[in-house]
Amino acid sequence: MTGNYFKIGIRVLVRQKGYTLLNVAGLMLGIAVFIFIYLFIESEVRYDRFWSDNEKIYRITNEYSLEGNSEKIALTPFRLASDLRNEFHGVEEATNLFFTDPADENDVSTITWNGEVFEIPDISLADGSFFRIFDYHFLEGNRDSALLKPNSIVINSTTAKKIFGDKPAIGNKLRTNLREYLVTGVIDMRQKLSHLNFDAIVSVSSLNEKELKILEHDYFWMTCYTYVKLADTVNPDDFEYRFNEFERVGETAYIQEEKLNVVGSMQYFLESVSLVHFNSSLMYDSPTNVDVGNLYVFAVIALFILLTASINYINLTTARSLKRSREIGMRKVLGALPRQLAVQYIVESLIITLIAFVLALALVEWLMPQFNQLVDKNLSLLDSLVSRENFPFGIVLLALLSILSIIGGSFPAFVLNSFKPAHVLKGTSFSSGKFGKQQFTAGIMRHFLVIIQYIVSIGMIMATIIVYSQINFLKNHELGFDAENVYVINVPRDTNFRQQIKQTMDLLAKHGSILEVSSTQNVPGYTEGKMLFQVGDTNAIPVQTINYFEVGYGFFRLLNIPLISGRYFDDFPSDDTATGFIINEAAVDFLGLDTVVGVPFNYAGKKGGKIVGVVRNFNSSSLHQDVDPMVFLLTPHVSRYIMVKVVPGRHEEAELHISDTWKKVPSGGTLHMISLQSKIGSLYSGDKKMLNLFFYFSLFVVFISSLGLYGLSSFLIQQRTREIGIRRVLGGSEKQLITMLALGYLKLVFLSGLIATPIVFFLINKWLEGFAYHISIHIGYFIVSILLALLVALFTVLVRSVKVVNENPSVALKVQ
Amino acid sequence: MNIIETSGLEKIFQAESVETIALRNINFNVKEGDFVAVMGPSGCGKTTLLNILGMIDDWNTGSFFLLGHNVTKLKEKQRTILRKNHIGFVFQNFNLIEELTVYENVELPLQYLGWKKKARQERVTALLEKMQIAHRSNMFPLQLSGGQQQRVAVARAVVANPPLILADEPTGNLDSMHGEEVMNLLDALNKEGTTIIMVTHSQRDAAFSRRVVHLFDGQIINENLNKLD
C-alpha cells in the first residue's frame, strides 16, 4: 500500500507540473534559508562547549560602582586568580589571561625568528594554570609545563605554520621587542570556537618582579580576564557570595593603606564559560561575543520563513482540493478510511518536501561562500552534517522533513476528508450546499494564512527599511569632529619605535600633500577606559571615575575639535604630560564646576595638576552611546596610532609619501594604514551585517509569499474563467474585471500591513533604543512598506488575471 | 431474505431558509438476488435514495437495515467497513481515478480490503480478461472510450464480489451499443446471484430488471414486477 501511495503521489505531481514547481520552489527557498540560519545560530551556540568540564569553568566579571557611577566590565584585577587559588576551598584551578585589546584588528605585535620579522596580531600573557583549565590539544609540548618557566611562549598552529612552516616549532627561540622566548608548545585551535582568541601566549613569570608585585598588590587595576574551575561540590551562587565578601575586606584594607578617598564598591560575578559568548554587555570583552537577542530574532525569522513556505503548500493544495474532490469521494466510496486518505496526502507532501530538501541542500552548498562572506564566518554544510560535536544536524533535517510533510499533508487531508462523497460524485454545484460551505470555510482559512504570510513579509520590509535608515543616519551623523581626509597608521608595539615617534611624525609632515600629523593612544569612536580623578589637590574630595582619552600634540587641531575655553595642550616640550588636563563639556557638567580652567585636577591620590582647557563635546565612542564626560591626557610617547590629515584631493600623493616614509623608519614593520572614516565605519559592522541579513531575508520572504500568491490567485482566477466569460458577455470591461480580481487579494495585503505596523513599531523601537542617537520612526516607513508589498502583490495577481480576462468569452463559457 | 429494509425513511435538504423534502416515507425492501430499477423524473430523489442505500449520504428520519445491520446505529468507520465489504458502485460519469491505470482502478477496492498483492493480481487479471479489457490494463481512463471506461467501472464495482451493486444511471453517458454491453454485464452478474439496484431514466435499461420502483416528488408511487423469477 505504501509503495502505491508513492507511485500515485509521483503521478499526481508529474501531472500537475506547474503546481508542483511552485510548491517545490517555495519550499526549497524556505528550507534553504532555514538551513542557513540554523547553521549560523548553531555555530554561535558551539562557542566554548568543547572544554572538558566546561560546566565547572566560570569567568569572573566585574561591576564596579564609584560615586553612583557603575560600569560592567570583563576585566578584573590580576590578584584575583591567586586569591581564588589560595583562599578558597573547592577551587580546582584559577588562572588569568591578560587583556590585549581584542577589538583592535589593526593592532599587531612583531616576532623575529632567524632574522625574519613576522606580524602576530594577539600575544597575551597567562600563567601555568591556563592550560589546566582550558585543555587545548597540544600538537607539540606539554600542557602542564608549557607556561611554568619565565620567557616561555606557546603559539597556535596557524602562527607555527606562518613562522616555521612544516618544521617543529618547539625549542626554537622567538624574539619580541621586549625579550626572547622559548617555544614550549604548539596548540591546535582550529575548528574550536571560543571567546578566547590569541595567536600566542607568553608566561606571566616573564614579567619582572617589580611589575608582578604591583599587579599582585592592586585591587583596582583591571588588567586581566580571570577564570576559575570549581569542584563539583561547590554551589556557584554561594561561592560568588563568599568570594565577594572576601574581596570586600581586602579592598577596604587597600583603600585605607593607599589613603584613597573612594566611595564605591566592586561586585564580582561568576559567568559560566559557555555563556561568555552570549554576553555583549561588558566593556573590554571579546569582539566575537554576540547579542543573544539577535540570535532569537534570526531564529524567529527562520521559523517565519518556513511557515511562509508551508502556507504556500497548504494553500495551493487546499485550493486544488476542488479538482481532486471526485477522486477523494470515489476513494471513500471504495472503502478508504480517513486515516488512509491522510496518509496518501502526507506521502504526496513528503515527496514534494523531499525534492525541495534535496534542492535546498544543493542551493545551500552552492551559496555557502556568499553566505559566509555575508555573516563573516566559515560555515560548512558537509562539516555540520558529519559533525559529532553537537546535536546531529542530520537529525534536525530529518525532523524538519517529517514536520513539514505532516503539516503540509494533514491540513489538506483534513479539508478533503470532510467532503461527503455523495455531494462530489454526482456533480453537485461546488458552490452550493454543505460542500459549498466547506469550500467557503477552506477559503476563509486560506485568506487567513495569506494574511499571516503578508504580515511576515511586510514586517520584514518595514524592518529592513528602518534598519537601513538608521545605518544611513549613523553614517551621516555629525560626530563633532572632522574625520574626512584623515588616515590612521598603526604604531608597532615596539619601545624603540615609540622613542622615535616624534621624528617619524616630523618626516611624515614634510610633504605638500600633508596638512597635519598627530598621535593618539586611541581613535575617536573607540572607548579607552575609565580612571579615578579628583578635583583639587587633596584626598579630602571624593574621587570620580571618568572616561579618559590619551592624545598626542595637535590632536584637537587635526580633528577640528573646537576649544570652548582655556587652551589646547602646549606644544613640545611641555609640562602638560603629567599635569595638564583638557575636559569636554559633558565633564564640566558632570563635575558641576563653575570655574573650569585653572582648577586643580589630578589622578586619584596625586597633586599638582590642573585643567588647562575645555573642548566641545564630540562622539568619542560609538553612536550606540551618548557623549560621556571625558578627560584628555597628553601622552605623546605611548601613542598607538599616528593620525595624518591630507590635503583634499591629494590622497594618492599622500599615500605614496606615507608609504615611502614608513620604509625609512627603522622597526616600522609593515605599514598598517586605514582611513579614519573606515575605522569609524567598522564600529557599525555588526549593525551592517544585521542589515544585510534583514535585506536578504526579506527578499526571500517576499519572493516566497509572491510565489504562493501567484499560485493561489492563478488557480482561483482560473476557476472563475466561466464567470469572467459571462461578465464579459454582459458588458464588463477588462479594467473592471481585472480590478475585481485583484482587489480581493490587495485587500488582504493591505490588512496584513495594518496588522504588521504596530508589531514592527514595538519591536524596532526596542532595537533603536540600543542607540543613543537614532532616527525617530514615522508613519512614512510603514506606508512605503505597505505600498511596496501592494505593488508586488498587484504585479503577481495581474500576470494571471490579464490572461484570463483576455480569453475569448466563447472559449471561457465552455470551461466547466 | 431481505438485503435492504427501509421504513419511513425521510431526507430533507436544508439550504439557508429553504427546506426541500427530497425523500418522504420510503418503505423499501430488496431481496437477495433481486434486480430493482428505480425510475422517475429528474429531481424526484432517485440518486438521493441510492446514495443513502450506499451509506454515502445521511437521512433524517426512518430506519434502514442493510444485510441485517441497523445502519442508523453504525458509526462512520463501521459504515465504511460494511460498504467496502458488501457494496459495489457504478456511476453515470464512471468516476474512475484519472491518476490510476485501468488495472490500478480495479485493484483499489481490494487494496482497501487488505488483500495480498498476489491474490489481487490473480483476481484483477481474471476479471479484466472476463470483461475483455485486459489489453487496456496499463492505460489511463482518459485514454479509453466511454464504454470502455464504464466496463472498467463495473469491473471495479464487482472485483471484491460484493453481494450488492448500486448503479446510478450506468448507461447515461454511453451510446446505445455500449449501453447495452454494460446492461448485459449487469444482467449476467445478477444471474450469478448479485443483487442490483439501478437508478435509470431508460425504459430499455429498466427492462433488464425484475422489479421497477417509481418515485415521484420523493415518494414511491408504484412498483411493477418486470419478469418472473
Side-chain angles (χ1 to χ4, degrees), chain A residues 199-226:
Chain A
D199 300 284
I201 296 191
V202 299
S203 50
V204 167
S205 50
S206 314
L207 296 176
N208 65 42
E209 259 183 50
K210 197 178 149 203
E211 286 171 316
L212 275 171
K213 222 170 187 174
I214 297 171
L215 282 166
E216 283 287 1
H217 183 63
D218 202 312
Y219 273 84
F220 295 103
W221 188 11
M222 290 156 222
T223 52
C224 297
Y225 302 103
T226 302

PDB file of all heavy atoms in Angstrom, chain A residues 199-226:
ATOM      1  N   ASP A 199      47.030  34.456  19.361  1.00  0.00           N
ATOM      2  CA  ASP A 199      47.949  33.775  18.443  1.00  0.00           C
ATOM      3  C   ASP A 199      49.111  33.171  19.213  1.00  0.00           C
ATOM      4  O   ASP A 199      49.717  32.204  18.775  1.00  0.00           O
ATOM      5  CB  ASP A 199      48.461  34.769  17.404  1.00  0.00           C
ATOM      6  CG  ASP A 199      47.309  35.335  16.605  1.00  0.00           C
ATOM      7  OD1 ASP A 199      46.803  34.629  15.744  1.00  0.00           O
ATOM      8  OD2 ASP A 199      46.883  36.475  16.899  1.00  0.00           O
ATOM      9  N   ALA A 200      49.403  33.787  20.343  1.00  0.00           N
ATOM     10  CA  ALA A 200      50.488  33.264  21.174  1.00  0.00           C
ATOM     11  C   ALA A 200      50.244  33.697  22.614  1.00  0.00           C
ATOM     12  O   ALA A 200      49.594  34.722  22.862  1.00  0.00           O
ATOM     13  CB  ALA A 200      51.822  33.817  20.686  1.00  0.00           C
ATOM     14  N   ILE A 201      50.729  32.879  23.538  1.00  0.00           N
ATOM     15  CA  ILE A 201      50.647  33.256  24.955  1.00  0.00           C
ATOM     16  C   ILE A 201      52.043  33.133  25.555  1.00  0.00           C
ATOM     17  O   ILE A 201      52.719  32.122  25.350  1.00  0.00           O
ATOM     18  CB  ILE A 201      49.717  32.319  25.743  1.00  0.00           C
ATOM     19  CG1 ILE A 201      48.284  32.449  25.232  1.00  0.00           C
ATOM     20  CG2 ILE A 201      49.753  32.630  27.222  1.00  0.00           C
ATOM     21  CD1 ILE A 201      47.268  31.758  26.116  1.00  0.00           C
ATOM     22  N   VAL A 202      52.459  34.159  26.286  1.00  0.00           N
ATOM     23  CA  VAL A 202      53.746  34.051  26.968  1.00  0.00           C
ATOM     24  C   VAL A 202      53.488  33.886  28.463  1.00  0.00           C
ATOM     25  O   VAL A 202      52.419  34.250  28.969  1.00  0.00           O
ATOM     26  CB  VAL A 202      54.653  35.277  26.701  1.00  0.00           C
ATOM     27  CG1 VAL A 202      54.959  35.410  25.226  1.00  0.00           C
ATOM     28  CG2 VAL A 202      54.039  36.543  27.234  1.00  0.00           C
ATOM     29  N   SER A 203      54.458  33.334  29.168  1.00  0.00           N
ATOM     30  CA  SER A 203      54.258  33.054  30.586  1.00  0.00           C
ATOM     31  C   SER A 203      54.300  34.340  31.404  1.00  0.00           C
ATOM     32  O   SER A 203      55.131  35.226  31.158  1.00  0.00           O
ATOM     33  CB  SER A 203      55.325  32.078  31.083  1.00  0.00           C
ATOM     34  OG  SER A 203      56.601  32.529  30.687  1.00  0.00           O
ATOM     35  N   VAL A 204      53.377  34.457  32.359  1.00  0.00           N
ATOM     36  CA  VAL A 204      53.319  35.648  33.217  1.00  0.00           C
ATOM     37  C   VAL A 204      54.630  35.827  33.972  1.00  0.00           C
ATOM     38  O   VAL A 204      55.084  36.958  34.211  1.00  0.00           O
ATOM     39  CB  VAL A 204      52.147  35.514  34.216  1.00  0.00           C
ATOM     40  CG1 VAL A 204      52.246  36.551  35.312  1.00  0.00           C
ATOM     41  CG2 VAL A 204      50.834  35.671  33.495  1.00  0.00           C
ATOM     42  N   SER A 205      55.268  34.711  34.286  1.00  0.00           N
ATOM     43  CA  SER A 205      56.518  34.802  35.049  1.00  0.00           C
ATOM     44  C   SER A 205      57.620  35.539  34.279  1.00  0.00           C
ATOM     45  O   SER A 205      58.667  35.872  34.836  1.00  0.00           O
ATOM     46  CB  SER A 205      56.989  33.398  35.446  1.00  0.00           C
ATOM     47  OG  SER A 205      56.996  32.568  34.301  1.00  0.00           O
ATOM     48  N   SER A 206      57.356  35.818  32.992  1.00  0.00           N
ATOM     49  CA  SER A 206      58.341  36.587  32.216  1.00  0.00           C
ATOM     50  C   SER A 206      58.380  38.047  32.663  1.00  0.00           C
ATOM     51  O   SER A 206      59.358  38.748  32.420  1.00  0.00           O
ATOM     52  CB  SER A 206      57.980  36.559  30.721  1.00  0.00           C
ATOM     53  OG  SER A 206      57.641  35.263  30.303  1.00  0.00           O
ATOM     54  N   LEU A 207      57.269  38.508  33.264  1.00  0.00           N
ATOM     55  CA  LEU A 207      57.251  39.905  33.729  1.00  0.00           C
ATOM     56  C   LEU A 207      58.276  40.061  34.847  1.00  0.00           C
ATOM     57  O   LEU A 207      58.539  39.106  35.595  1.00  0.00           O
ATOM     58  CB  LEU A 207      55.864  40.282  34.266  1.00  0.00           C
ATOM     59  CG  LEU A 207      54.709  40.267  33.267  1.00  0.00           C
ATOM     60  CD1 LEU A 207      53.389  40.561  33.983  1.00  0.00           C
ATOM     61  CD2 LEU A 207      54.934  41.308  32.181  1.00  0.00           C
ATOM     62  N   ASN A 208      58.827  41.278  34.983  1.00  0.00           N
ATOM     63  CA  ASN A 208      59.824  41.420  36.048  1.00  0.00           C
ATOM     64  C   ASN A 208      59.137  41.484  37.419  1.00  0.00           C
ATOM     65  O   ASN A 208      57.934  41.730  37.520  1.00  0.00           O
ATOM     66  CB  ASN A 208      60.756  42.607  35.792  1.00  0.00           C
ATOM     67  CG  ASN A 208      60.015  43.931  35.839  1.00  0.00           C
ATOM     68  OD1 ASN A 208      59.173  44.123  36.698  1.00  0.00           O
ATOM     69  ND2 ASN A 208      60.315  44.813  34.906  1.00  0.00           N
ATOM     70  N   GLU A 209      59.917  41.249  38.434  1.00  0.00           N
ATOM     71  CA  GLU A 209      59.364  41.098  39.785  1.00  0.00           C
ATOM     72  C   GLU A 209      58.609  42.324  40.267  1.00  0.00           C
ATOM     73  O   GLU A 209      57.576  42.230  40.910  1.00  0.00           O
ATOM     74  CB  GLU A 209      60.493  40.783  40.761  1.00  0.00           C
ATOM     75  CG  GLU A 209      60.552  39.316  41.085  1.00  0.00           C
ATOM     76  CD  GLU A 209      61.611  39.014  42.112  1.00  0.00           C
ATOM     77  OE1 GLU A 209      61.618  39.703  43.148  1.00  0.00           O
ATOM     78  OE2 GLU A 209      62.430  38.115  41.851  1.00  0.00           O
ATOM     79  N   LYS A 210      59.128  43.493  39.843  1.00  0.00           N
ATOM     80  CA  LYS A 210      58.516  44.750  40.280  1.00  0.00           C
ATOM     81  C   LYS A 210      57.089  44.862  39.705  1.00  0.00           C
ATOM     82  O   LYS A 210      56.134  45.176  40.413  1.00  0.00           O
ATOM     83  CB  LYS A 210      59.374  45.915  39.806  1.00  0.00           C
ATOM     84  CG  LYS A 210      59.083  47.203  40.510  1.00  0.00           C
ATOM     85  CD  LYS A 210      59.993  48.301  40.024  1.00  0.00           C
ATOM     86  CE  LYS A 210      59.272  49.635  40.120  1.00  0.00           C
ATOM     87  NZ  LYS A 210      59.830  50.610  39.220  1.00  0.00           N
ATOM     88  N   GLU A 211      57.024  44.566  38.402  1.00  0.00           N
ATOM     89  CA  GLU A 211      55.708  44.624  37.737  1.00  0.00           C
ATOM     90  C   GLU A 211      54.730  43.654  38.403  1.00  0.00           C
ATOM     91  O   GLU A 211      53.586  43.985  38.689  1.00  0.00           O
ATOM     92  CB  GLU A 211      55.837  44.239  36.255  1.00  0.00           C
ATOM     93  CG  GLU A 211      56.477  45.305  35.386  1.00  0.00           C
ATOM     94  CD  GLU A 211      56.774  44.801  33.976  1.00  0.00           C
ATOM     95  OE1 GLU A 211      57.295  43.663  33.821  1.00  0.00           O
ATOM     96  OE2 GLU A 211      56.509  45.547  33.041  1.00  0.00           O
ATOM     97  N   LEU A 212      55.229  42.445  38.658  1.00  0.00           N
ATOM     98  CA  LEU A 212      54.375  41.420  39.254  1.00  0.00           C
ATOM     99  C   LEU A 212      53.892  41.827  40.640  1.00  0.00           C
ATOM    100  O   LEU A 212      52.742  41.598  41.009  1.00  0.00           O
ATOM    101  CB  LEU A 212      55.127  40.093  39.350  1.00  0.00           C
ATOM    102  CG  LEU A 212      55.097  39.230  38.089  1.00  0.00           C
ATOM    103  CD1 LEU A 212      56.051  38.040  38.212  1.00  0.00           C
ATOM    104  CD2 LEU A 212      53.687  38.733  37.804  1.00  0.00           C
ATOM    105  N   LYS A 213      54.770  42.472  41.382  1.00  0.00           N
ATOM    106  CA  LYS A 213      54.434  42.879  42.738  1.00  0.00           C
ATOM    107  C   LYS A 213      53.294  43.907  42.731  1.00  0.00           C
ATOM    108  O   LYS A 213      52.352  43.812  43.522  1.00  0.00           O
ATOM    109  CB  LYS A 213      55.670  43.484  43.411  1.00  0.00           C
ATOM    110  CG  LYS A 213      55.823  43.033  44.828  1.00  0.00           C
ATOM    111  CD  LYS A 213      57.136  43.423  45.372  1.00  0.00           C
ATOM    112  CE  LYS A 213      57.274  42.758  46.749  1.00  0.00           C
ATOM    113  NZ  LYS A 213      58.582  42.971  47.286  1.00  0.00           N
ATOM    114  N   ILE A 214      53.438  44.882  41.811  1.00  0.00           N
ATOM    115  CA  ILE A 214      52.375  45.906  41.720  1.00  0.00           C
ATOM    116  C   ILE A 214      51.052  45.227  41.366  1.00  0.00           C
ATOM    117  O   ILE A 214      50.011  45.497  41.964  1.00  0.00           O
ATOM    118  CB  ILE A 214      52.735  46.974  40.657  1.00  0.00           C
ATOM    119  CG1 ILE A 214      54.009  47.710  41.064  1.00  0.00           C
ATOM    120  CG2 ILE A 214      51.587  47.948  40.433  1.00  0.00           C
ATOM    121  CD1 ILE A 214      54.584  48.621  39.999  1.00  0.00           C
ATOM    122  N   LEU A 215      51.127  44.328  40.372  1.00  0.00           N
ATOM    123  CA  LEU A 215      49.907  43.640  39.922  1.00  0.00           C
ATOM    124  C   LEU A 215      49.277  42.841  41.059  1.00  0.00           C
ATOM    125  O   LEU A 215      48.057  42.846  41.243  1.00  0.00           O
ATOM    126  CB  LEU A 215      50.227  42.700  38.759  1.00  0.00           C
ATOM    127  CG  LEU A 215      50.412  43.348  37.389  1.00  0.00           C
ATOM    128  CD1 LEU A 215      51.046  42.370  36.409  1.00  0.00           C
ATOM    129  CD2 LEU A 215      49.081  43.841  36.837  1.00  0.00           C
ATOM    130  N   GLU A 216      50.113  42.146  41.807  1.00  0.00           N
ATOM    131  CA  GLU A 216      49.615  41.297  42.901  1.00  0.00           C
ATOM    132  C   GLU A 216      48.976  42.125  44.013  1.00  0.00           C
ATOM    133  O   GLU A 216      48.092  41.666  44.715  1.00  0.00           O
ATOM    134  CB  GLU A 216      50.772  40.481  43.515  1.00  0.00           C
ATOM    135  CG  GLU A 216      51.214  39.284  42.707  1.00  0.00           C
ATOM    136  CD  GLU A 216      50.211  38.127  42.767  1.00  0.00           C
ATOM    137  OE1 GLU A 216      49.167  38.271  43.427  1.00  0.00           O
ATOM    138  OE2 GLU A 216      50.464  37.099  42.125  1.00  0.00           O
ATOM    139  N   HIS A 217      49.439  43.366  44.157  1.00  0.00           N
ATOM    140  CA  HIS A 217      49.012  44.202  45.270  1.00  0.00           C
ATOM    141  C   HIS A 217      47.718  44.967  44.966  1.00  0.00           C
ATOM    142  O   HIS A 217      46.873  45.153  45.835  1.00  0.00           O
ATOM    143  CB  HIS A 217      50.147  45.191  45.577  1.00  0.00           C
ATOM    144  CG  HIS A 217      49.858  46.056  46.735  1.00  0.00           C
ATOM    145  ND1 HIS A 217      49.683  45.556  48.021  1.00  0.00           N
ATOM    146  CD2 HIS A 217      49.681  47.399  46.835  1.00  0.00           C
ATOM    147  CE1 HIS A 217      49.423  46.553  48.836  1.00  0.00           C
ATOM    148  NE2 HIS A 217      49.419  47.680  48.138  1.00  0.00           N
ATOM    149  N   ASP A 218      47.548  45.390  43.706  1.00  0.00           N
ATOM    150  CA  ASP A 218      46.484  46.336  43.355  1.00  0.00           C
ATOM    151  C   ASP A 218      45.106  45.674  43.284  1.00  0.00           C
ATOM    152  O   ASP A 218      44.938  44.642  42.655  1.00  0.00           O
ATOM    153  CB  ASP A 218      46.813  46.989  41.997  1.00  0.00           C
ATOM    154  CG  ASP A 218      46.090  48.295  41.818  1.00  0.00           C
ATOM    155  OD1 ASP A 218      44.870  48.317  42.063  1.00  0.00           O
ATOM    156  OD2 ASP A 218      46.744  49.287  41.441  1.00  0.00           O
ATOM    157  N   TYR A 219      44.120  46.335  43.943  1.00  0.00           N
ATOM    158  CA  TYR A 219      42.752  45.823  43.931  1.00  0.00           C
ATOM    159  C   TYR A 219      41.885  46.474  42.849  1.00  0.00           C
ATOM    160  O   TYR A 219      40.758  46.072  42.625  1.00  0.00           O
ATOM    161  CB  TYR A 219      42.088  46.059  45.294  1.00  0.00           C
ATOM    162  CG  TYR A 219      42.345  44.948  46.286  1.00  0.00           C
ATOM    163  CD1 TYR A 219      43.509  44.926  47.049  1.00  0.00           C
ATOM    164  CD2 TYR A 219      41.409  43.927  46.454  1.00  0.00           C
ATOM    165  CE1 TYR A 219      43.745  43.913  47.953  1.00  0.00           C
ATOM    166  CE2 TYR A 219      41.639  42.900  47.358  1.00  0.00           C
ATOM    167  CZ  TYR A 219      42.805  42.898  48.105  1.00  0.00           C
ATOM    168  OH  TYR A 219      43.027  41.885  48.998  1.00  0.00           O
ATOM    169  N   PHE A 220      42.422  47.535  42.242  1.00  0.00           N
ATOM    170  CA  PHE A 220      41.564  48.284  41.308  1.00  0.00           C
ATOM    171  C   PHE A 220      42.116  48.364  39.889  1.00  0.00           C
ATOM    172  O   PHE A 220      41.480  48.934  39.020  1.00  0.00           O
ATOM    173  CB  PHE A 220      41.306  49.706  41.843  1.00  0.00           C
ATOM    174  CG  PHE A 220      40.528  49.707  43.119  1.00  0.00           C
ATOM    175  CD1 PHE A 220      41.150  49.921  44.338  1.00  0.00           C
ATOM    176  CD2 PHE A 220      39.162  49.465  43.101  1.00  0.00           C
ATOM    177  CE1 PHE A 220      40.433  49.907  45.517  1.00  0.00           C
ATOM    178  CE2 PHE A 220      38.435  49.448  44.273  1.00  0.00           C
ATOM    179  CZ  PHE A 220      39.060  49.670  45.492  1.00  0.00           C
ATOM    180  N   TRP A 221      43.293  47.845  39.688  1.00  0.00           N
ATOM    181  CA  TRP A 221      43.882  47.914  38.342  1.00  0.00           C
ATOM    182  C   TRP A 221      43.382  46.700  37.565  1.00  0.00           C
ATOM    183  O   TRP A 221      43.794  45.570  37.796  1.00  0.00           O
ATOM    184  CB  TRP A 221      45.412  47.919  38.443  1.00  0.00           C
ATOM    185  CG  TRP A 221      46.091  48.178  37.134  1.00  0.00           C
ATOM    186  CD1 TRP A 221      45.519  48.607  35.975  1.00  0.00           C
ATOM    187  CD2 TRP A 221      47.486  48.023  36.855  1.00  0.00           C
ATOM    188  NE1 TRP A 221      46.447  48.742  35.000  1.00  0.00           N
ATOM    189  CE2 TRP A 221      47.673  48.391  35.502  1.00  0.00           C
ATOM    190  CE3 TRP A 221      48.589  47.633  37.613  1.00  0.00           C
ATOM    191  CZ2 TRP A 221      48.927  48.358  34.878  1.00  0.00           C
ATOM    192  CZ3 TRP A 221      49.834  47.596  37.005  1.00  0.00           C
ATOM    193  CH2 TRP A 221      50.000  47.967  35.655  1.00  0.00           C
ATOM    194  N   MET A 222      42.467  46.951  36.646  1.00  0.00           N
ATOM    195  CA  MET A 222      41.819  45.831  35.961  1.00  0.00           C
ATOM    196  C   MET A 222      42.517  45.515  34.655  1.00  0.00           C
ATOM    197  O   MET A 222      42.406  46.264  33.691  1.00  0.00           O
ATOM    198  CB  MET A 222      40.353  46.150  35.741  1.00  0.00           C
ATOM    199  CG  MET A 222      39.625  46.146  37.064  1.00  0.00           C
ATOM    200  SD  MET A 222      38.169  47.099  37.030  1.00  0.00           S
ATOM    201  CE  MET A 222      38.242  47.929  38.573  1.00  0.00           C
ATOM    202  N   THR A 223      43.264  44.448  34.669  1.00  0.00           N
ATOM    203  CA  THR A 223      44.131  44.156  33.528  1.00  0.00           C
ATOM    204  C   THR A 223      43.885  42.774  32.915  1.00  0.00           C
ATOM    205  O   THR A 223      44.402  42.483  31.846  1.00  0.00           O
ATOM    206  CB  THR A 223      45.602  44.171  33.968  1.00  0.00           C
ATOM    207  OG1 THR A 223      45.707  43.298  35.091  1.00  0.00           O
ATOM    208  CG2 THR A 223      46.082  45.542  34.325  1.00  0.00           C
ATOM    209  N   CYS A 224      43.146  41.924  33.627  1.00  0.00           N
ATOM    210  CA  CYS A 224      43.094  40.510  33.221  1.00  0.00           C
ATOM    211  C   CYS A 224      41.683  39.973  33.148  1.00  0.00           C
ATOM    212  O   CYS A 224      40.779  40.475  33.803  1.00  0.00           O
ATOM    213  CB  CYS A 224      43.801  39.645  34.266  1.00  0.00           C
ATOM    214  SG  CYS A 224      45.491  39.982  34.438  1.00  0.00           S
ATOM    215  N   TYR A 225      41.547  38.916  32.375  1.00  0.00           N
ATOM    216  CA  TYR A 225      40.340  38.079  32.454  1.00  0.00           C
ATOM    217  C   TYR A 225      40.673  36.973  33.452  1.00  0.00           C
ATOM    218  O   TYR A 225      41.748  36.374  33.367  1.00  0.00           O
ATOM    219  CB  TYR A 225      40.024  37.443  31.105  1.00  0.00           C
ATOM    220  CG  TYR A 225      39.819  38.449  30.003  1.00  0.00           C
ATOM    221  CD1 TYR A 225      40.804  38.686  29.049  1.00  0.00           C
ATOM    222  CD2 TYR A 225      38.626  39.159  29.919  1.00  0.00           C
ATOM    223  CE1 TYR A 225      40.606  39.615  28.038  1.00  0.00           C
ATOM    224  CE2 TYR A 225      38.422  40.087  28.912  1.00  0.00           C
ATOM    225  CZ  TYR A 225      39.415  40.312  27.972  1.00  0.00           C
ATOM    226  OH  TYR A 225      39.222  41.224  26.992  1.00  0.00           O
ATOM    227  N   THR A 226      39.779  36.730  34.405  1.00  0.00           N
ATOM    228  CA  THR A 226      40.043  35.687  35.403  1.00  0.00           C
ATOM    229  C   THR A 226      39.073  34.527  35.207  1.00  0.00           C
ATOM    230  O   THR A 226      37.877  34.744  34.980  1.00  0.00           O
ATOM    231  CB  THR A 226      39.880  36.259  36.828  1.00  0.00           C
ATOM    232  OG1 THR A 226      40.778  37.358  36.960  1.00  0.00           O
ATOM    233  CG2 THR A 226      40.190  35.216  37.887  1.00  0.00           C
TER     234      THR A 226
END
